Amino acid sequence: MTSYQNIEEEAVANWHKNGLRVPLFEVDLGQAVYHGNYFHIFELAREAFLRDMGYPYRRFMDQELHLTVVETTCSYRRPLHYDDLIEVHSRVLWWRRRSLAFSQNIYRLEENNEPSLCTRATLNMVCVKFSGKPTTIPDDFTTLLKAQDIQQIEQA
Amino acid sequence: MTSYQNIEEEAVANWHKNGLRVPLFEVDLGQAVYHGNYFHIFELAREAFLRDMGYPYRRFMDQELHLTVVETTCSYRRPLHYDDLIEVHSRVLWWRRRSLAFSQNIYRLEENNEPSLCTRATLNMVCVKFSGKPTTIPDDFTTLLKAQDIQQIEQA
Amino acid sequence: MTSYQNIEEEAVANWHKNGLRVPLFEVDLGQAVYHGNYFHIFELAREAFLRDMGYPYRRFMDQELHLTVVETTCSYRRPLHYDDLIEVHSRVLWWRRRSLAFSQNIYRLEENNEPSLCTRATLNMVCVKFSGKPTTIPDDFTTLLKAQDIQQIEQA
Amino acid sequence: MTSYQNIEEEAVANWHKNGLRVPLFEVDLGQAVYHGNYFHIFELAREAFLRDMGYPYRRFMDQELHLTVVETTCSYRRPLHYDDLIEVHSRVLWWRRRSLAFSQNIYRLEENNEPSLCTRATLNMVCVKFSGKPTTIPDDFTTLLKAQDIQQIEQA
C-alpha cells in the first residue's frame, strides 16, 4: 500500500501491519462484513503481530494462559466488502501487570491507490490461566513490550 | 428467571427480555463464547425485540432498508459458557432521524437461582438503503418508538 | 407446520422436530445460509433432540466425553433465506459401541402452507474422551436408543 | 512441506496447494476446528485456486453469477487444532455445462516433518445468477478448465 502519513492524526510508524483480502464467508446479506466478524480479522492481525514480535500466541497457551478479551469498542466507518484488499495496523496501547490493550485499525486500498481508514477498534485483555483466574503477564513477554517502549500503566 | 431488582443500578422495567441457552458452536477453545460471537446473541435478542414490538426486522428489508451497525462497545464481565441459561435484556436507548442506539445486557441464571450480569453492550446503528446510503428511519417505526417513550435526540 | 406425509418417501413419524427461524447472521452475501452454517442449525436441532430424549449433550460433557463429528454429507436442495420459518427433523439412524449416525432434514413452511424439503444431512459421530481417544458410548444413553428401537449395527 | 508421494493412492501432481495456519476463531470447545468451519478453510483454498488459475471468484460475481454449493461430503479423519500448519490441496474433479465439483484435502505437517491427510471433502456447485436461477458456466472459465485437462461430463 501507499503512504499512510497524515491519516487520522496518528503516526503510523511503529504499528504492525498485516495485509489480507476479505474472505467471502465473513460477509453477510448486507454485502459488508458482519459486525461481529471484524473480530476475526483483528485476531488474525494480532496473531501476526505476536508472531512477528517473537512471541506467538501459542506460547501463551503452552503456559496454560489466555489473553481473554474483557472489553471492546469498534467503530465501523466504511463497510468492508468481499475481496477488499485491506491492511490491519495493530499495536499495544498500554499494559499493566495482568492486562493490556490493543489498538487496531483497518485500512482499505481504494481504487485511487490511496488507503482509507475503515474500521477502528480497541480491545482490552486480561491474562488468565486456563481456569479463568487472572494472573500476571509472563515476564519474557513484558520484556518485549518494554523493548518496544509501550506504555506501562502503574497499578492503582 | 428471578428478580432483577437492584442489579447494576438500573431499572429493569421496560427492557425487552429474551431467554435462550448458549449454543455449543459459539464457544471457542477457551471454553467461553468467542468475543465476536456475543453479537450473534445480541442480534437474536434484537430480532425478538423488534418482532414483539410489532415491527420485525424483515419489514425494514421489505422496504430495502438495513439498520447497519456503525459503532459497538461491549464489556465482557463474566464469560458465558456452553449451555448457560441466559436472558438478554434489550432496549432502544435513543433515536434520531437516521440513527438509533440499542443497549443490551446478558444475565445468567446462576446456581443459587440469582441472575448475574455477564455482558453489556451498546450498538449504534444507521438506517441505510440497500445501496448503503443513509436514509430516514421509517415513520411507522418511529411512531412505535415514541409510543414507548424512547428518547429522541434533536439533530444538531 | 402442516402434514409431512408422502414427502420424500420417508415416514416422518418418530423424527424429532424442532422449529426455528433462520437468523440473519447465518446468511451470506448470496442471500442464502452459508453452506458451512447449516451445521449450526443441525446442531441446535440435535441439542433439542437430546434434551427432549432426556439426555442433554451436557451430560456427555459432564463425563468428559464428546460426540465428535467424523463424516458429514449434506445436500442443499433449496437455499434457506433470512427469517425463513423452518422445521428440522432429526433422528439417530444407527449406533455402534463407539459411534452413531444422525439423519437430519430441514423443511421450510412455504407460502402455500406446505412444507418443502430444503436440506438433507447425515452426520457420523464417534464418542471420544476429552483427550480425543475413542471410547464406548455411555450405557445409560444406549439404553435410551434401544428404547426408541434405533438400529444397532453389529461390530465387524 | 515435504513429499506427498504415495499418500492415499492419489497423484498429488496437478493439485493446487495453499498453505495456512489454523486460526483460533475456527476452533471450538473440543479443541479442534468446528466441523462446519472446515468449509471456511476450503473456501480460502478455492479462492487461491481460482486466483492462481487466472479467474478470481470476483470475476463470477462481476457477471452477477455465483457458484452455489449444492452438495458436500466431508471426512474428518484427524482433527485440526489451533495453529496447525496445514496445506490444502484442491482441484476440479469434473464439470458440466452448469455445474462442477471440487475435491479438497487438508494435510498437516506433523512433528516428524511428514504430512498427514486430515480432512477430505467434495463440494458440488451449480452456476447460478444472482436471482438463484441456474445458468451456464462462463465460456472463458471452461476454456481454462479444458486447458487443465479437467474431465468434462456429458449431459444426460
Side-chain angles (χ1 to χ4, degrees):
Chain A
M1 288 192 181
T2 57
S3 164
Y4 290 85
Q5 267 83 44
N6 304 317
I7 287 177
E8 297 296 323
E9 306 103 23
E10 56 191 329
V12 288
N14 301 322
W15 289 73
H16 178 271
K17 290 160 192 174
N18 189 50
L20 73 158
R21 280 186 183 276
V22 174
L24 187 147
F25 61 77
E26 303 295 16
V27 175
D28 72 13
L29 84 190
Q31 308 305 310
V33 172
Y34 181 76
H35 56 284
N37 292 357
Y38 285 82
F39 293 100
H40 295 170
I41 294 171
F42 289 126
E43 182 180 290
L44 292 174
R46 289 196 311 277
E47 287 276 315
F49 171 96
L50 291 171
R51 189 178 306 279
D52 291 348
M53 191 181 180
Y55 207 96
Y57 189 69
R58 192 170 194 159
R59 194 155 149 195
F60 287 95
M61 288 182 62
D62 287 345
Q63 299 169 74
E64 307 210 335
L65 300 175
H66 277 300
L67 295 176
T68 194
V69 176
V70 294
E71 188 141 17
T72 59
T73 64
C74 188
S75 171
Y76 310 82
R77 297 181 170 205
R78 294 180 180 87
L80 296 184
H81 306 105
Y82 165 62
D83 205 43
D84 279 353
L85 190 60
I86 60 175
E87 196 173 89
V88 189
H89 293 199
S90 305
R91 64 176 178 128
V92 174
L93 266 183
W94 54 256
W95 61 280
R96 285 185 178 145
R97 206 163 58 88
R98 295 178 168 192
S99 59
L100 54 78
F102 272 92
S103 178
Q104 299 191 277
N105 297 323
I106 306 176
Y107 295 87
R108 177 172 50 214
L109 186 64
E110 304 292 355
E111 291 188 3
N112 61 5
N113 233 27
E114 287 298 313
S116 67
L117 178 58
C118 294
T119 328
R120 304 190 67 151
T122 307
L123 296 97
N124 295 5
M125 299 177 191
V126 171
C127 188
V128 295
K129 297 184 186 178
F130 276 8
S131 65
K133 195 177 143 65
T135 189
T136 308
I137 296 171
D139 280 348
D140 49 1
F141 182 67
T142 58
T143 301
L144 293 173
L145 294 176
K146 284 174 190 165
Q148 288 199 8
D149 275 331
I150 292 165
Q151 183 187 12
Q152 182 182 3
I153 298 181
E154 292 304 319
Q155 303 302 120
Chain B
M1 286 194 184
T2 56
S3 164
Y4 289 86
Q5 268 83 42
N6 305 318
I7 289 179
E8 297 295 322
E9 307 101 25
E10 57 191 329
V12 289
N14 300 321
W15 290 73
H16 178 271
K17 290 160 194 174
N18 189 48
L20 73 156
R21 278 185 184 278
V22 174
L24 187 147
F25 61 78
E26 304 294 18
V27 176
D28 72 14
L29 84 189
Q31 309 304 313
V33 172
Y34 181 76
H35 57 283
N37 292 357
Y38 285 82
F39 294 101
H40 295 169
I41 294 170
F42 289 126
E43 182 180 290
L44 292 174
R46 289 196 310 279
E47 287 276 315
F49 171 96
L50 291 171
R51 190 178 306 279
D52 291 348
M53 191 182 179
Y55 207 96
Y57 189 71
R58 192 170 193 159
R59 195 155 149 196
F60 286 95
M61 289 183 61
D62 288 345
Q63 300 168 73
E64 305 208 337
L65 299 175
H66 277 300
L67 295 176
T68 195
V69 176
V70 293
E71 189 141 15
T72 58
T73 64
C74 188
S75 171
Y76 310 82
R77 297 181 171 207
R78 295 180 180 87
L80 295 184
H81 306 106
Y82 165 62
D83 205 44
D84 278 353
L85 189 60
I86 60 174
E87 195 173 89
V88 189
H89 293 199
S90 305
R91 66 179 176 126
V92 174
L93 265 183
W94 53 257
W95 62 278
R96 286 184 176 145
R97 206 162 58 87
R98 295 178 169 192
S99 59
L100 55 79
F102 271 91
S103 178
Q104 299 191 275
N105 297 323
I106 305 176
Y107 294 87
R108 178 173 48 216
L109 187 64
E110 304 292 355
E111 291 188 4
N112 61 6
N113 233 27
E114 287 299 312
S116 67
L117 178 58
C118 295
T119 328
R120 304 191 67 151
T122 307
L123 296 98
N124 294 6
M125 300 179 190
V126 172
C127 188
V128 295
K129 297 183 187 180
F130 276 8
S131 65
K133 195 178 140 66
T135 189
T136 308
I137 296 172
D139 281 347
D140 48 3
F141 183 66
T142 57
T143 301
L144 293 174
L145 294 176
K146 285 173 189 165
Q148 287 199 9
D149 276 331
I150 293 165
Q151 183 189 13
Q152 182 182 2
I153 297 181
E154 292 306 318
Q155 304 302 119
Chain C
M1 288 192 180
T2 57
S3 163
Y4 289 84
Q5 269 83 44
N6 304 318
I7 287 178
E8 297 297 320
E9 307 102 22
E10 56 190 332
V12 289
N14 300 321
W15 290 72
H16 178 271
K17 291 159 193 174
N18 190 48
L20 72 158
R21 281 185 182 277
V22 174
L24 188 147
F25 61 77
E26 304 294 17
V27 176
D28 72 14
L29 85 188
Q31 309 304 311
V33 172
Y34 181 75
H35 57 283
N37 291 358
Y38 284 82
F39 293 100
H40 295 169
I41 294 171
F42 289 126
E43 181 179 291
L44 291 174
R46 288 196 311 277
E47 287 276 315
F49 171 95
L50 291 171
R51 189 178 306 281
D52 292 348
M53 192 180 178
Y55 207 97
Y57 189 70
R58 192 170 194 158
R59 196 156 148 195
F60 286 95
M61 290 182 62
D62 287 345
Q63 299 168 75
E64 307 210 335
L65 299 175
H66 277 300
L67 295 176
T68 194
V69 176
V70 294
E71 188 141 17
T72 58
T73 64
C74 189
S75 171
Y76 310 82
R77 298 181 169 208
R78 294 180 179 88
L80 295 184
H81 307 106
Y82 165 62
D83 205 43
D84 279 353
L85 189 60
I86 61 175
E87 195 173 272
V88 189
H89 293 199
S90 305
R91 65 176 177 128
V92 174
L93 266 183
W94 52 257
W95 62 278
R96 285 185 178 144
R97 206 161 58 88
R98 295 178 168 193
S99 60
L100 54 79
F102 271 93
S103 178
Q104 299 192 275
N105 297 323
I106 306 177
Y107 294 87
R108 177 172 50 215
L109 187 63
E110 305 291 355
E111 292 189 4
N112 62 5
N113 232 27
E114 287 298 313
S116 67
L117 177 58
C118 294
T119 328
R120 303 190 67 151
T122 306
L123 296 98
N124 294 5
M125 299 178 190
V126 171
C127 188
V128 296
K129 296 184 187 179
F130 276 8
S131 66
K133 194 177 142 66
T135 189
T136 308
I137 296 171
D139 281 347
D140 49 1
F141 183 66
T142 57
T143 301
L144 293 173
L145 294 176
K146 285 174 189 165
Q148 287 199 9
D149 275 331
I150 292 165
Q151 184 188 11
Q152 181 182 2
I153 297 181
E154 292 305 319
Q155 303 301 119
Chain D
M1 288 194 183
T2 57
S3 163
Y4 289 86
Q5 269 82 41
N6 304 318
I7 288 179
E8 296 297 319
E9 306 103 24
E10 57 190 329
V12 289
N14 300 321
W15 289 73
H16 178 271
K17 290 160 193 174
N18 190 49
L20 72 158
R21 279 186 183 277
V22 174
L24 187 146
F25 60 77
E26 304 294 17
V27 175
D28 73 14
L29 84 190
Q31 308 305 311
V33 172
Y34 182 75
H35 57 283
N37 292 359
Y38 286 81
F39 294 100
H40 295 169
I41 294 170
F42 290 125
E43 182 178 290
L44 292 174
R46 288 197 310 278
E47 287 277 314
F49 171 97
L50 292 171
R51 190 177 307 278
D52 291 347
M53 191 180 177
Y55 208 97
Y57 189 71
R58 192 170 195 159
R59 195 155 149 197
F60 287 96
M61 288 183 61
D62 288 345
Q63 299 168 75
E64 307 209 336
L65 299 175
H66 276 299
L67 295 176
T68 194
V69 176
V70 294
E71 189 140 14
T72 58
T73 64
C74 189
S75 172
Y76 309 83
R77 297 181 171 208
R78 294 181 180 86
L80 295 184
H81 306 106
Y82 165 63
D83 205 44
D84 278 353
L85 190 60
I86 60 175
E87 194 174 270
V88 189
H89 293 199
S90 305
R91 65 177 178 130
V92 174
L93 265 184
W94 53 256
W95 62 278
R96 286 185 176 145
R97 206 163 58 88
R98 295 178 168 190
S99 59
L100 54 77
F102 271 92
S103 179
Q104 299 191 275
N105 297 323
I106 306 176
Y107 295 87
R108 177 173 48 215
L109 187 62
E110 304 293 354
E111 292 189 3
N112 60 5
N113 231 29
E114 286 299 312
S116 67
L117 177 59
C118 294
T119 328
R120 303 189 68 151
T122 308
L123 296 97
N124 294 5
M125 300 179 189
V126 171
C127 187
V128 295
K129 297 184 187 179
F130 276 7
S131 65
K133 195 178 141 65
T135 189
T136 308
I137 296 171
D139 280 348
D140 49 1
F141 183 67
T142 58
T143 300
L144 293 174
L145 294 176
K146 284 173 190 165
Q148 287 199 9
D149 276 330
I150 292 166
Q151 183 188 13
Q152 181 181 2
I153 297 181
E154 292 305 317
Q155 303 302 119

